């Protein structure tokens, strides 16, 4: 069964709108676990716009499922990750002006700097994943720098407007999974996945993990986090590929 990582940054974003202490992303993580989340994902951004250092430390102490830290390869963030030692770190590009992580990391171009960060994290026993576009060169470069997993950017699929474009993006992901598995990598997916579009990617054989945030937390405003996570889990089960 594919693993569902619930991204709780969006809860911290609401808290930061008032710079107060609620809603607490740590509570959100506990609620997500009670709804059946297989993992909790958070992004400690360099600008600390949502998740704080306190959140990261309390999540480490309290999360009982897989803890996945999204992060840039900036040296001070790598220092924090090495000290925190979450089970998995997902390397992402970061630009201050972006609304959310847009597109993937260019592993081919920044091979040396990314490789150095991967080495430091792996030395702490952390599983390292790279968030990349589903392009063969990026996938192979991720394996070469020592990543154990890649998270394929599903934003291209999620933003596609026409049936032909959607089909082309699904095919790109299918091929990405093939190349990833062939390179010995675990293949994850994330970004822009929703209750409405999950069926197409959930039906692709070979994905072992999805990280989903905005849609689940949006649904949770109406039904609560536990129920929102349960609903996504049941869609993943319903559309799961026949052979897995
Ligand atoms: N995976 C990664 C690497 C991300 O950066 C994000 C966005 O924070 C997500 C998954 C979740 O994306 P969304 O909030 O669109 O579900």
């Amino acid at each position: 069964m594919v693993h569902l990582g619930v991204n709780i940054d969006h809860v911290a974003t609401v808290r930061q709108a008032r710079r107060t202490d609620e809603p607490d992303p740590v509570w959100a993580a506990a609620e997500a676990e009670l709804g059946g989340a297989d993992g909790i994902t958070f992004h400690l951004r360099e600008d600390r716009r949502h998740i704080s250092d306190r959140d990261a430390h309390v999540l480490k102490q309290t999360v009982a499922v897989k803890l996945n830290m999204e992060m840039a390869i900036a040296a001070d963030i790598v220092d924090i990750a090495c000290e925190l030692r979450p089970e998995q770190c997902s390397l992402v590009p970061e630009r201050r002006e972006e609304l959310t992580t847009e597109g993937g990391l260019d592993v081919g171009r920044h091979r040396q700097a990314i490789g150095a960060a991967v080495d430091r994290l792996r030395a702490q026993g952390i599983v390292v994943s790279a968030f990349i576009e589903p392009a063969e060169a990026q996938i192979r470069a991720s394996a070469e720098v020592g990543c154990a997993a890649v998270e394929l950017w599903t934003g291209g699929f999620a933003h596609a407007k026409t049936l032909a474009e959607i089909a082309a993006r699904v095919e790109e992901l299918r091929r990405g999974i093939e190349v990833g598995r062939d390179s010995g990598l675990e293949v994850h997916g994330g970004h822009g996945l929703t209750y409405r579009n999950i069926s197409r990617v959930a039906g692709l054989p070979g994905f072992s993990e999805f990280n989903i945030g905005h849609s689940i937390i949006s649904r949770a405003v109406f039904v609560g986090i536990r129920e929102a996570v349960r609903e996504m889990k049941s869609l993943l089960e319903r559309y799961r590929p026949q052979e897995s």
Side-chain angles (χ1 to χ4, degrees):
M1 181 66 192
V2 69
H3 173 116
L4 174 62
V6 176
N7 183 315
I8 53 164
D9 298 346
H10 310 274
V11 175
T13 298
V14 175
R15 177 190 62 192
Q16 295 314 106
R18 286 290 180 94
R19 300 212 175 7
T20 175
D21 59 2
E22 66 179 7
D24 190 334
V26 176
W27 286 27
E31 289 291 320
E33 277 188 41
L34 290 168
D38 304 293
I40 299 297
T41 293
F42 68 96
H43 184 173
L44 185 70
R45 291 185 67 102
E46 290 182 82
D47 61 11
R48 305 297 197 274
R49 77 165 66 146
H50 40 52
I51 293 290
S52 66
D53 295 70
R54 167 267 180 198
D55 299 334
H57 284 99
V58 184
L59 286 168
K60 169 66 184 180
Q61 288 161 21
T62 56
V63 167
V65 291
K66 176 173 172 178
L67 187 62
N68 175 34
M69 174 173 168
E70 286 179 15
M71 54 183 279
I73 58 160
D76 55 332
I77 298 287
V78 177
D79 288 345
I80 293 171
C82 287
E83 189 221 324
L84 199 66
R85 298 174 66 210
E87 197 170 324
Q88 177 173 288
C89 284
S90 297
L91 306 181
V92 301
E94 241 179 64
R95 285 190 297 121
R96 272 168 204 258
E97 63 276 20
E98 70 193 356
L99 286 176
T100 179
T101 313
E102 291 162 0
L105 202 57
D106 191 343
V107 185
R109 180 187 261 198
H110 304 291
R111 200 176 281 256
Q112 233 176 355
I114 293 171
V118 172
D119 288 348
R120 287 192 59 200
L121 295 166
R122 285 184 60 180
Q124 297 302 319
I126 299 167
V127 171
V128 185
S129 173
F131 182 54
I132 54 170
E133 297 204 6
E136 177 159 357
Q138 294 294 345
I139 298 166
R140 299 219 185 270
S142 301
E144 283 160 22
V145 298
C147 291
V150 283
E151 180 173 334
L152 301 182
W153 177 69
T154 49
F157 157 75
H159 302 147
K161 296 276 183 278
T162 64
L163 288 176
E165 201 192 336
I166 292 168
R169 294 299 196 157
V170 169
E171 175 52 25
E172 201 173 63
L173 290 167
R174 194 199 58 72
R175 172 76 186 134
I177 295 168
E178 207 171 79
V179 175
R181 303 287 290 249
D182 178 62
S183 309
L185 297 165
E186 252 194 53
V187 183
H188 308 162
H191 196 89
L193 298 176
T194 71
Y195 296 87
R196 292 190 175 99
N197 68 20
I198 191 68
S199 63
R200 291 297 294 274
V201 285
L204 288 172
F207 272 127
S208 59
E209 174 175 313
F210 292 117
N211 287 297
I212 308 180
H214 187 260
S215 190
I216 291 179
I217 301 304
S218 302
R219 177 90 183 121
V221 170
F222 303 106
V223 301
I225 294 177
R226 281 186 218 190
E227 178 56 21
V229 173
R230 265 188 226 119
E231 289 174 11
M232 187 57 83
K233 285 281 292 182
S234 89
L235 291 179
L236 293 175
E237 172 62 25
R238 185 187 310 165
Y239 295 113
R240 130 178 107 100
Q242 293 308 311
E243 60 267 46
S244 70

